[in-house]
């Protein structure tokens, strides 16, 4: 296993700079591994291979003692970026200025069969941004498996809640992993927004925003794949109670025509809608 390289000197933080999108605009990225067609509603992250490791040592993470339960809890954010680097998956974690070095989180990622090839921390007005560049240990390449990407997301959220339980009520996952469920209930029908744009001669950009829940990333990719649409790359953001996804998609190497855009949008809206009484009775 490759050794982890940490680029931040102890006790110092560098200002955050904008992430260049040149890599995604000028270089073709390998598509995500396609999932076998299946009914999305039946998919659950219950496979032993996707078991989310729990944190082991709180002292390994909160080394700077910056956590405080007396202030207003900032909005937790976890970003999984498949666009910025053609060779690695970029993960960014933010919880105001409360996060430490996240050494235990990096250890948990290695337990998923991943290498953390680079780690950095930067500071801006919204707080500390912990960024990891991760690759699969078996291939040395970025993650192309949606189920593994979802396992990464859940692992990071689980560790965040382990060491910062005050964030539980700010995350949809607090009802699953945390000590306190969210105090605010998101109406999924109101929160769901789906937009599709042309994005050059070979692909379209799909933008989805909805209420977050475990397994959502996998389910979205399966719905897209079931319509024979290819996901080339993308970004999946967890922001408090909401999930925001951007997928670069294509159909047979071309952008989606208007009719196919409508089919995709309708399929996603149907899947993400609030369950009705009739749905719940089966």
């Amino acid at each position: 296993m490759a050794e982890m390289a940490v680029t931040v000197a102890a006790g110092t933080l560098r200002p955050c700079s904008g992430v260049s999108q040149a890599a995604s605009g000028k270089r073709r990225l390998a598509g995500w591994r396609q999932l076998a067609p299946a009914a999305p509603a039946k998919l659950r992250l219950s496979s032993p291979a996707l078991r989310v490791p729990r944190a082991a040592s709180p002292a390994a993470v909160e080394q700077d003692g910056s956590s405080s339960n007396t202030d207003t809890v900032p909005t937790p954010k976890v970003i999984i970026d498949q666009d910025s680097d053609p060779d690695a998956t970029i993960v960014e974690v933010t919880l105001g200025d409360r996060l430490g070095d996240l050494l235990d989180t990096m250890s948990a990622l290695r337990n998923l069969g991943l290498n953390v090839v680079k780690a950095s921390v930067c500071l801006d007005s919204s707080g500390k941004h912990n960024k990891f560049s991760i690759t699969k240990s078996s291939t040395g390449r970025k993650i192309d498996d949606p189920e593994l990407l979802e396992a990464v997301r859940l692992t990071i959220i689980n560790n965040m809640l382990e060491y910062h339980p005050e964030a539980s009520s700010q995350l949809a996952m607090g009802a699953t992993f945390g000590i306190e469920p969210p105090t605010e209930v998101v109406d999924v029908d109101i929160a769901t927004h789906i937009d599709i744009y042309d994005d050059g001669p070979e692909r379209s950009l799909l933008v989805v925003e909805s209420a977050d829940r475990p397994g959502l990333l996998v389910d979205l990719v399966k719905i897209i794949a079931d319509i024979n649409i290819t996901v080339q790359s993308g970004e999946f953001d967890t922001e408090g109670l909401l999930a925001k996804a951007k997928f670069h998609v294509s159909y047979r190497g071309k952008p989606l025509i208007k009719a196919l855009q409508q089919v995709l949008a309708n399929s996603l809206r149907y899947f993400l809608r609030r369950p009705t009484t009739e749905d719940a009775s089966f």
Side-chain angles (χ1 to χ4, degrees):
M1 180 179 295
E3 293 296 327
M4 176 183 62
V6 180
T7 62
V8 181
T12 64
L13 289 174
R14 61 177 177 81
C16 292
S17 58
V19 176
S20 172
Q21 296 298 322
S24 61
K26 296 182 179 180
R27 183 171 179 178
R28 177 181 292 275
L29 303 179
W32 288 5
R33 183 176 65 81
Q34 295 297 311
L35 297 171
K42 296 181 180 179
L43 180 67
R44 295 292 183 271
L45 290 179
S46 58
S47 168
L50 292 179
R51 181 180 61 84
V52 178
R54 296 194 65 83
S57 173
V61 176
E62 291 304 325
Q63 296 183 351
D64 58 5
S66 61
S67 177
S68 172
N69 293 326
T70 59
D71 303 332
T72 300
V73 179
T75 301
K77 296 182 181 180
V78 178
I79 297 173
I80 297 179
D81 179 5
Q82 292 284 81
D83 271 343
S84 298
D85 191 327
D87 300 315
T89 298
I90 308 299
V91 176
E92 179 177 332
V93 188
T94 306
L95 183 62
D97 61 354
R98 302 186 178 211
L99 298 179
D101 293 334
L102 299 188
L103 298 180
D104 196 73
T105 295
M106 289 188 278
S107 177
L109 293 176
R110 289 197 294 271
N111 290 339
L112 292 175
L114 303 171
N115 284 334
V116 182
V117 296
K118 183 179 180 182
S120 63
V121 181
C122 65
L123 180 67
D124 64 13
S125 59
S126 65
K128 291 167 61 178
H129 300 255
N130 297 66
K131 290 186 179 182
F132 311 124
S133 297
I134 56 180
T135 60
K136 296 176 66 175
S137 301
S138 59
T139 63
R141 302 180 63 85
K142 69 191 305 178
I143 304 170
D144 61 356
D145 182 351
E147 294 188 4
L148 184 53
L149 287 170
E150 180 69 350
V152 167
R153 185 173 79 102
L154 296 184
T155 295
I156 292 172
I157 291 174
N158 176 69
N159 274 23
M160 181 186 291
L161 293 176
E162 180 80 3
Y163 299 112
H164 296 278
E166 72 275 12
S168 179
S169 62
Q170 302 290 319
L171 281 164
M173 302 297 181
T176 304
F177 300 125
I179 61 173
E180 181 182 354
T183 54
E184 178 184 353
V185 178
V186 176
D187 188 318
V188 66
D189 290 339
I190 296 176
T192 298
H193 303 279
I194 300 169
D195 296 288
I196 304 174
Y197 309 95
D198 290 336
D199 188 31
E202 298 180 347
R203 65 187 189 182
S204 300
L205 177 64
L206 168 65
V207 181
V208 181
E209 180 175 333
S210 190
D212 192 23
R213 59 170 177 75
L216 181 58
L217 170 57
V218 179
D219 288 346
L220 290 177
V221 175
K222 286 188 72 69
I223 294 169
I224 298 169
D226 285 349
I227 312 175
N228 294 321
I229 294 174
T230 301
V231 178
Q232 296 181 353
S233 64
E235 178 180 310
F236 194 92
D237 301 353
T238 305
E239 295 187 14
L241 303 178
L242 298 177
K244 302 178 181 181
K246 297 179 182 179
F247 296 118
H248 296 293
V249 297
S250 64
Y251 179 72
R252 297 181 177 178
K254 299 293 182 181
L256 309 188
I257 62 174
K258 294 299 181 182
L260 190 54
Q261 289 183 14
Q262 192 64 50
V263 170
L264 176 57
N266 289 344
S267 298
L268 290 170
R269 286 194 184 95
Y270 178 81
F271 178 82
L272 295 170
R273 79 196 193 289
R274 180 174 51 220
T276 64
T277 303
E278 291 182 0
D279 292 333
S281 65
F282 289 97

